[in-house]
């Protein structure tokens, strides 16, 4: 075990010999290390001179005094090196060294001893730059030089001093030199080690500081862009930090916000309202509450969710953090969603009523019809009621179908040339009897250019006007309904058309007008109770108007009637190519013109229908057509229809359902057309008769080779007209 005293002595010696280290200034540290080594070398060399003077009897007292003064000067110089005064030390030591050499030469009467010392000094200086190898070489060279001087003196070349003095000087000089060389090497090695350690520590600190700055920058960027107000306050309510949202919300400069009191930042009113929560959070209790505060511009009140989180250090509350979320949009979305859910619930209740009403008529009258011995007059009344209820139910289903199609963005508008005057005339014809039954006057006029035709979807346009006219008649008890249509402007081959329906009915308040043209909404729930309806009609009108490049609107006052209008943008027929031509008899959605034979015509009809009830209905309808004497062949799927034709069935017309088991109607028609082409057979007229009533379904039927399209429920008039066309 080492003696503690030895350890303390070595540690003290190490600290005394170690060069100074100046952090952050590598060049200065290197110069100080070298200068410190030179001073230690000079100190050891001076010890040589002092030793020689003490042993020799011929050393003047003045030389000894000068040497001692030089030794003390070196000690002072070393302290100045550690103080960082390197330039002053270098200049002073150089001057003193020169003076000491001169004085020593004068005092001794010879230059051999100071010359040897000076030579040793510079050889050691050069040798110290090359570490161990240089020091060994310098030690050998200086020892040989001193030995040469002694031999020269002994041989008479130089005046011989006392031999004992010379040998003693040589021994002491060599030992001192070795000690000095070791000291220089130690200081150089120790200095480089300390310097390297200081450089590594400084580099690590720089890297750590750089990483810390990067992390702070990333954290600051994230916090500034978080959609929340984030801040930190000490227990005296002095701000320590606030993100950009905090500063912007309360109109405070972010640079000056730290150091401000909570009251100064948020204002007296909000401070007083939040004070109870602040007091509780400073006791260590986290706070969560909602608060309504003005927005940064003072234009409206914003709903916020606020959290106060205590900052604990060693179990003591040192402040708290504030986190405030603006939940106004979420609240609005929640209210909107709740309103939409309520509207849908009300709509479903309305639909339940609207569906059950015609179903009650259908089922009730059907039960009466099956009773025995029903009078003819009652039978006709019951049948008419069933027919009217069924048509009402079909209109309701069509509205729902149209609305769902528009909402899904799947509604495709047709493009064909039509005259709006004919659409207006159709509306007049369609509603004239209904209006007359209520004692209302119905006026419908086209006020645009005579004979002009536009490219658009006349069926959807007729539907839009019909919805408005139907509503106007429904809500008008007396007076009349006026339908006007005109062309407002024309530019670059496109025209802007406006259709308006004006009534003298109950009118609407401003609040009620705001709820119109929305899905599942009517102006008032009492309207459903008093007048019926689903609330989809105006929504469909608005969506169709948007699809046609326009909009819909209303002008009304309560009790003063209303004017509903919509504006659309259509191409003038002469400016665009005509749409793709369909087969000569193909229906386009409008009611077809009857093309009935003058006398009964015999024909063979193939019917492909998988549903037994539908087959029964179609069979009864076809056998009771007044203008045809038909032979019917009924099959239950597409495969049977294909086999019937291939095996020589040779029908005159085929009525084809689309959705059937085994083989659907689309596949069957495609294979029939392939067989006809391969066998060189004439094209068989095939009419789609399906419950798939979307425009997309209609186009799919034409794409595989069908010639016409009829939608279920079956309209006898349209069926008879289609047969009249294809059997002519």
């Amino acid at each position: 075990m080492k003696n503690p005293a030895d350890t303390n002595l070595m540690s003290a010696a190490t600290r005394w010999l170690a060069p100074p280290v100046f952090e952050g200034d590598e060049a200065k540290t290197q110069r100080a290390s070298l200068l410190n080594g030179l001073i230690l070398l000079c100190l050891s060399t001076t010890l040589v001179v002092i030793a020689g003077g003490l042993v020799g009897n011929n050393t003047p007292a003045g030389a000894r005094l000068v040497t001692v003064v030089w030794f003390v000067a070196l000690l002072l110089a070393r302290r100045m090196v550690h103080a960082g005064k390197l330039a002053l030390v270098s200049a002073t030591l150089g001057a003193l060294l020169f003076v000491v050499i001169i004085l020593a030469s004068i005092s001794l009467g010879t230059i051999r001893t100071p010359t040897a010392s000076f030579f040793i000094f510079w050889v050691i200086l050069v040798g110290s730059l090359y570490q161990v190898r240089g020091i060994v070489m310098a030690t050998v060279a200086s020892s040989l030089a001193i030995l040469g001087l002694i031999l020269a003196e002994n041989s008479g070349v130089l005046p011989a001093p006392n031999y004992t003095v010379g040998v003693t000087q040589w021994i002491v000089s060599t030992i001192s030199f070795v000690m000095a060389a070791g000291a220089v090497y130690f200081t150089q090695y120790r200095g480089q080690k300390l310097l390297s350690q200081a450089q590594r520590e400084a580099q690590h600190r720089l890297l750590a500081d750089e990483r810390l700055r990067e992390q702070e920058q990333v954290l600051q960027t994230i916090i500034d862009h978080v959609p929340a107000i984030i801040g930190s306050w000490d227990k005296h309510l002095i701000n320590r930090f606030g993100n950009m949202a905090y500063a912007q919300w309360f109109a405070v400069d972010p640079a000056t916000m730290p150091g401000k009191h909570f009251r100064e930042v948020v204002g007296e009113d909000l401070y007083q309202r939040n004070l109870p929560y602040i007091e509780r959070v400073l006791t260590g209790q986290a706070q969560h509450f909602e608060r309504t505060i003005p927005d940064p511009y003072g234009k409206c009140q914003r709903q916020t969710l606020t959290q106060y989180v205590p900052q604990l250090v060693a179990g003591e509350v040192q402040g708290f953090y504030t986190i405030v979320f603006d939940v106004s949009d979420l609240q609005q979305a929640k209210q909107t969603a709740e309103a939409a859910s309520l509207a849908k619930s009300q709509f479903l209740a309305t639909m339940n009523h609207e569906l059950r009403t015609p179903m009650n008529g259908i089922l009730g009258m059907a039960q009466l019809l099956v009773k025995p011995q029903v009078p003819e007059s009652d039978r006709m009344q019951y049948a008419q009621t069933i027919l009217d209820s069924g048509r009402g139910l079909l209109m309701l289903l069509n509205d729902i179908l149209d609305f769902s199609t528009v909402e899904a963005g799947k509604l495709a508008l047709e493009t064909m040339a039509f005259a709006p005057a004919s659409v207006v005339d159709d509306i007049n014809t369609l509603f004239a009897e209904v209006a007359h039954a209520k004692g209302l006057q119905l006026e419908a006029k086209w006020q645009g250019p005579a004979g002009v035709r536009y490219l658009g979807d006349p069926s959807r346009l007729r539907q839009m006007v019909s919805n408005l006219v139907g509503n106007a008649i429904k809500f008008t008890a007396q007076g009349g309904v006026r339908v006007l249509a005109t062309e407002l402007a024309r530019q670059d081959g496109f025209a802007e058309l406006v259709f308006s329906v004006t009534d003298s009915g109950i009118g609407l308040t401003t609040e009620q007008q705001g709820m119109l043209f929305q899905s599942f909404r009517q102006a008032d729930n009492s309207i459903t109770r008093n007048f019926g309806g689903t609330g989809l009609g105006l929504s469909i009108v608005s969506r169709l108007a948007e699809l046609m490049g326009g909009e819909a609107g209303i002008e009304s006052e309560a009790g003063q009637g209303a004017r509903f209008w919509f504006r659309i943008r259509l191409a003038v027929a002469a400016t665009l190519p005509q749409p793709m031509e369909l087969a000569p008899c193909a229906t386009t959605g409008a009611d077809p013109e009857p093309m009935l034979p003058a006398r009964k015509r015999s024909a063979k009809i193939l019917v492909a229908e998988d549903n037994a009830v539908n087959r029964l209905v179609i069979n009864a309808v076809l056998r009771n057509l007044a203008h045809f004497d038909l032979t019917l062949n009924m099959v239950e799927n597409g495969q049977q229809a294909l086999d019937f034709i291939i095996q020589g069935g040779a029908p005159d017309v085929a009525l084809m359902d689309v959705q059937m088991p085994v083989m659907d109607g689309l596949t069957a028609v495609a294979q029939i057309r392939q067989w006809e082409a391969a066998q060189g057979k004439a094209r068989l007229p095939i009419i789609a008769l399906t419950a798939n009533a979307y425009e997309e379904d209609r186009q799919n039927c034409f794409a595989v080779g069908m010639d016409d399209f009829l939608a279920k429920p079956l309209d006898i008039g349209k069926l008879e007209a289609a047969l009249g066309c294809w059997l002519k």
Side-chain angles (χ1 to χ4, degrees):
M1 180 179 296
K2 291 185 178 180
N3 191 334
D6 296 340
T7 303
N8 294 337
L9 180 62
M10 183 177 295
S11 177
T14 301
R15 289 195 302 270
W16 194 87
L17 293 174
V21 177
F22 300 98
E23 295 185 6
D25 193 340
E26 181 179 353
K28 186 175 182 180
T29 301
Q30 291 178 343
R31 291 195 301 271
S33 176
L34 180 59
L35 194 56
N36 183 72
L38 293 177
I39 291 174
L40 292 176
L41 182 59
C42 289
L43 286 171
S44 63
T45 306
T46 304
L47 287 175
V48 173
V49 176
I50 293 175
L54 292 176
V55 175
N57 297 323
N58 57 347
T59 303
R64 296 177 182 178
L65 179 61
V66 170
T67 305
V68 172
V69 171
W70 167 248
F71 185 80
V72 173
L74 289 173
L75 293 176
L76 295 175
R78 183 182 174 281
R79 292 183 63 86
M80 295 174 66
V81 168
H82 281 263
K85 301 177 181 179
L86 305 184
L88 179 61
V89 171
S90 300
T92 303
L93 287 181
L96 287 176
L97 181 61
F98 180 74
V99 172
V100 167
I101 291 173
I102 297 301
L103 292 177
S105 299
I106 295 173
S107 300
L108 297 175
T110 178
I111 63 171
R112 62 182 182 273
T113 299
T115 300
S117 300
F118 188 73
F119 180 77
I120 292 171
F121 176 82
W122 287 109
V123 170
I124 293 299
L125 173 63
V126 174
S128 65
L129 299 177
Y130 295 96
Q131 301 293 324
V132 178
R133 181 181 178 185
I135 291 175
V136 172
M137 293 176 63
T139 302
V140 174
S142 60
S143 298
L144 291 176
I146 294 174
L147 182 61
L149 288 174
I150 295 174
L151 292 176
E153 291 174 347
N154 292 336
S155 64
V157 176
L158 294 175
N162 184 282
Y163 183 77
T164 302
V165 172
V167 172
T168 301
Q169 287 183 349
W170 177 74
I171 293 173
V172 173
S173 297
T174 302
I175 294 173
S176 300
F177 170 74
V178 172
M179 293 174 60
V184 171
Y185 172 74
F186 176 78
T187 56
Q188 287 280 52
Y189 171 77
R190 182 66 176 174
Q192 290 179 357
K193 185 176 181 180
L194 292 176
L195 179 62
S196 299
Q197 182 179 355
Q199 289 175 340
R200 288 194 299 270
E201 292 178 353
Q203 186 68 22
H204 290 162
R205 283 195 296 271
L206 289 175
L207 292 175
D209 291 344
E210 182 65 24
R211 286 195 296 268
L212 181 60
R213 283 192 296 269
E214 291 178 356
Q215 292 173 357
E216 289 177 347
Q217 184 177 5
V218 171
L219 182 61
Q220 184 69 43
T221 301
I222 293 174
I223 292 177
D224 280 340
H225 289 82
V226 167
I229 298 174
I230 302 175
S232 175
W233 308 83
D234 66 15
K235 59 185 177 182
H236 302 295
L237 307 188
I238 301 301
N239 181 264
R240 291 181 295 201
F241 165 79
N243 69 342
M244 189 65 67
Y246 217 131
Q248 291 176 348
W249 190 281
F250 294 103
V252 180
D253 185 357
T256 62
M257 185 174 171
K260 291 183 180 292
H261 193 273
F262 192 91
R263 178 193 287 108
E264 187 179 358
V265 174
V266 305
E268 182 66 28
D269 177 66
L270 188 57
Y271 169 72
Q272 292 297 335
R273 286 194 290 159
N274 289 359
L275 188 56
Y277 301 103
I278 295 175
E279 293 174 347
R280 284 194 289 270
V281 76
L282 290 178
T283 65
Q285 305 175 53
Q287 301 295 301
H288 308 275
F289 58 94
E290 293 186 2
R291 176 71 71 222
T292 300
I293 60 178
D295 71 350
Y297 309 101
K299 295 181 179 179
C300 62
Q301 296 291 319
R302 306 291 290 180
Q303 188 72 22
T304 62
L305 179 63
T306 303
Q307 299 185 44
Y308 286 170
V309 182
Q311 180 188 11
L312 300 176
V313 178
E316 296 292 331
V317 178
Q318 301 298 322
F320 64 97
Y321 302 102
T322 59
I323 306 173
V324 183
F325 296 96
D326 183 359
V327 295
S328 302
D329 294 338
L330 293 178
Q331 290 286 350
Q332 182 63 37
K334 178 183 177 183
Q335 294 173 3
T336 302
E338 290 175 347
S341 177
L342 178 61
K344 289 182 179 180
S345 297
Q346 293 173 346
F347 169 76
L348 290 176
T350 300
M351 287 299 302
N352 179 60
H353 174 269
E354 293 300 312
L355 287 171
R356 287 179 179 275
T357 298
M359 287 301 297
N360 180 62
I362 294 172
L363 295 177
M365 294 298 102
Q367 292 177 70
L368 292 175
L369 279 177
V370 298
K371 289 183 177 295
Q373 299 179 350
V374 178
E376 182 63 20
S377 59
D378 291 344
R379 187 183 65 81
M380 291 299 297
Q381 182 182 2
Y382 297 162
Q384 187 63 46
T385 301
I386 292 175
L387 182 60
D388 293 341
S389 298
R391 287 172 175 171
L393 182 60
L394 179 60
M395 290 178 60
L396 179 61
L397 295 176
N398 284 337
D399 278 349
I400 297 174
L401 180 64
D402 288 339
F403 175 76
S404 63
T405 305
V406 173
E407 284 288 294
K410 295 182 178 180
L411 182 63
L413 297 175
E414 293 185 351
T415 301
M416 62 184 64
F418 73 96
S422 63
V423 174
V424 174
D425 290 341
D426 290 344
I427 296 298
N428 193 28
T429 302
L430 181 63
F431 289 96
E433 184 177 349
V434 179
H436 180 72
K438 290 191 66 173
L440 302 176
Q441 294 182 352
L442 176 62
E443 179 184 4
K445 291 184 179 180
W446 164 251
Q447 296 180 326
V452 68
R453 294 167 67 83
Y454 303 92
L455 292 178
D457 191 332
S459 177
R460 292 298 179 184
L461 183 59
R462 186 180 295 106
Q463 177 186 2
M464 295 164 70
V465 180
S466 297
N467 279 343
L468 296 184
V469 175
N471 282 343
I473 294 175
K474 181 193 299 185
F475 297 118
T476 303
Q478 59 183 2
V481 175
R482 188 180 187 191
V483 182
L484 296 178
T486 188
E487 178 183 309
L488 290 181
R490 185 182 299 190
Q491 184 179 7
D492 298 331
F494 287 86
E496 185 176 310
L497 307 183
V498 61
F499 291 77
S500 66
V501 177
T502 306
D503 63 63
S504 56
I506 59 177
L508 295 165
T509 65
T510 303
E511 181 180 359
Q512 290 174 329
Q513 293 177 38
M515 293 188 291
L516 297 179
F517 302 107
Q518 298 182 26
S519 306
F520 315 116
R521 300 298 295 270
Q522 288 186 324
D524 193 313
N525 288 337
S526 63
I527 291 178
T528 301
R529 294 192 298 269
N530 296 331
F531 300 97
T534 63
L536 294 179
L538 291 180
S539 177
I540 294 173
V541 171
S542 178
R543 301 297 178 86
L544 289 175
E546 292 173 0
L547 288 176
M548 296 181 186
E551 59 179 342
I554 179 179
E555 301 165 5
S556 179
E557 293 183 11
Q560 302 297 319
R563 176 180 179 268
F564 286 85
W565 56 268
F566 63 85
R567 202 165 46 240
I568 59 176
R569 186 170 182 266
L570 299 178
V572 180
T575 62
L576 290 177
Q578 293 293 328
M580 179 185 69
E581 292 186 0
L582 300 174
C585 292
T587 59
T588 60
D591 292 337
E593 294 293 332
M595 301 180 64
L596 303 177
R599 56 185 178 83
K600 266 196 172 185
R601 177 176 298 173
S602 298
K604 187 176 182 180
I605 306 296
L606 171 64
V607 178
E609 171 61 61
D610 64 307
N611 185 272
V613 174
N614 286 340
R615 288 199 301 272
L616 178 63
V617 172
I618 296 171
N619 182 70
V621 169
L622 292 176
R623 291 189 181 281
N624 286 279
L625 292 179
H627 297 85
F628 298 96
D629 182 12
L630 302 177
T631 300
L632 304 181
N633 297 98
M634 311 291 287
V635 297
E636 298 181 4
N637 56 63
Q639 183 64 58
Q640 292 178 0
L642 176 63
D643 294 341
F644 179 83
I645 293 173
I646 292 177
Q647 293 170 7
D652 296 307
V653 173
L655 299 178
M656 186 75 66
D657 188 18
V658 172
Q659 291 187 352
M660 294 182 291
V662 184
M663 180 184 290
D664 62 76
L666 298 178
T667 304
V669 171
Q671 295 192 19
I672 290 171
R673 296 308 184 205
Q674 293 175 3
W675 177 80
E676 290 174 340
Q679 299 297 322
K681 300 291 184 179
R683 183 183 178 94
L684 170 67
I686 302 177
I687 302 173
L689 186 58
T690 174
N692 297 336
Y694 285 109
E695 176 63 23
E696 180 181 357
D697 301 316
R698 182 170 177 271
Q699 295 300 330
N700 289 338
C701 290
F702 288 130
V704 298
M706 294 194 188
D707 299 293
D708 211 337
F709 184 91
L710 295 176
K712 298 173 184 176
L714 185 61
D715 186 301
I716 297 177
K718 292 182 178 180
L719 175 61
E720 193 169 24
L723 292 177
C725 175
W726 293 107
L727 292 175
K728 64 182 179 179

